[in-house]
Amino acid sequence: DTAVSQTPKYLVTQMGNDKSIKCEQNLGHDTMYWYKQDSKKFLKIMFSYNNKELIINETVPNRFSPKSPDKAHLNLHINSLELGDSAVYFCASSQGALQPQHFGDGTRLSIL
Amino acid sequence: GESVGLHLPTLSVQEGDNSIINCAYSNSASDYFIWYKQESGKGPQFIIDIRSNMDKRQGQRVTVLLNKTVKHLSLQIAATQPGDSAVYFCASNAGNMLTFGGGTRLMVKP
């Protein structure tokens, strides 16, 4: 009965590869997010979707492409992975823009 | 408190004492503020939020204080327990987007 679940939990891959992270929420929320947390624990928003539509794109390289097949899912596809992409990526959801966001447990991406 | 420095500020408290974690925000137009707790290997977990029409809000063992004049937010944890050990983040809104502070690590000594 996990509220926000993301897979995989760990992702180790080589530079230049393409990978995807999946996120699903069962809270019935309209808004979903992707955040990146660096090694210093700094948490920065990447994207926000409301009802499958992109509403926030925070100067993220276009190698990152979010896809929302329905309002319960927001997947993140990353092309041509670079060393600097190594981080923990969190998916979150909320009922609305200024409502508490519920986070998944993160995907730790390590680029070799 | 909020930090964009190279390391996490750390607050070390004795079990049973009260903890106060501080946060400064910069956007005077912010009207929504929220505190999160992040344990190792987990995602941030919602603790409490407050809107700008209030200056204090209480939850179970936690109180958030908002001082809009000096753009300061604090989280008070009463009777701190070992399970409270975590990194705590404040966040404030810029329009419809949340901006997170740099986090404070709370360590509880038994």
Side-chain angles (χ1 to χ4, degrees):
Chain A
D1 58 345
T2 305
V4 181
S5 59
Q6 48 184 115
T7 54
K9 190 168 175 64
Y10 300 97
L11 190 48
V12 182
T13 190
Q14 294 204 322
M15 216 161 47
N17 284 351
D18 304 338
K19 289 292 177 186
S20 292
I21 307 172
K22 294 187 175 182
C23 179
E24 176 182 4
Q25 54 95 4
N26 63 5
L27 296 166
H29 287 165
D30 289 334
T31 308
M32 295 186 73
Y33 311 82
W34 277 108
Y35 285 86
K36 179 179 180 181
Q37 187 172 48
D38 63 21
S39 58
K40 299 177 183 61
K41 295 287 193 184
F42 188 67
L43 199 61
K44 184 166 170 50
I45 190 164
M46 300 172 68
F47 300 103
S48 173
Y49 268 69
N50 182 267
N51 243 329
K52 304 193 299 175
E53 289 192 22
L54 179 68
I55 54 172
I56 293 172
N57 180 342
E58 275 298 292
T59 58
V60 177
N62 56 16
R63 298 183 295 105
F64 290 78
S65 50
K67 292 238 177 0
S68 182
D70 55 63
K71 76 172 195 174
H73 295 84
L74 181 62
N75 304 323
L76 184 64
H77 188 76
I78 316 169
N79 289 329
S80 303
L81 281 156
E82 299 177 358
L83 288 175
D85 297 332
S86 294
V88 182
Y89 292 83
F90 287 100
C91 177
S93 72
S94 68
Q95 188 52 49
L98 299 184
Q99 298 289 334
Q101 294 179 17
H102 297 256
F103 284 77
D105 279 340
T107 296
R108 183 175 292 278
L109 175 62
S110 300
I111 309 302
L112 305 177
Chain B
E2 185 182 66
S3 169
V4 291
L6 297 178
H7 61 278
L8 279 179
T10 298
L11 175 65
S12 186
V13 299
Q14 204 69 41
E15 182 179 356
D17 286 352
N18 296 336
S19 303
I20 300 176
I21 301 171
N22 296 304
C23 179
Y25 63 95
S26 56
N27 187 346
S28 55
S30 293
D31 53 7
Y32 179 68
F33 307 87
I34 190 166
W35 281 99
Y36 283 92
K37 171 187 181 184
Q38 186 177 20
E39 295 173 285
S40 181
K42 299 274 190 184
Q45 179 187 0
F46 167 72
I47 302 173
I48 192 167
D49 59 357
I50 189 168
R51 297 185 190 269
S52 59
N53 59 350
M54 302 174 72
D55 51 24
K56 180 179 179 179
R57 192 166 187 220
Q58 288 184 288
Q60 189 177 11
R61 280 201 308 118
V62 294
T63 301
V64 55
L65 297 178
L66 174 63
N67 185 331
K68 295 181 286 293
T69 304
V70 295
K71 298 201 281 284
H72 184 269
L73 191 65
S74 68
L75 177 71
Q76 300 178 2
I77 305 173
T80 314
Q81 301 168 359
D84 295 327
S85 294
V87 177
Y88 289 79
F89 293 94
C90 67
S92 58
N93 72 304
N96 283 340
M97 192 172 73
L98 280 184
T99 301
F100 281 77
T104 296
R105 186 179 301 281
L106 176 65
M107 296 177 60
V108 183
K109 296 178 286 189

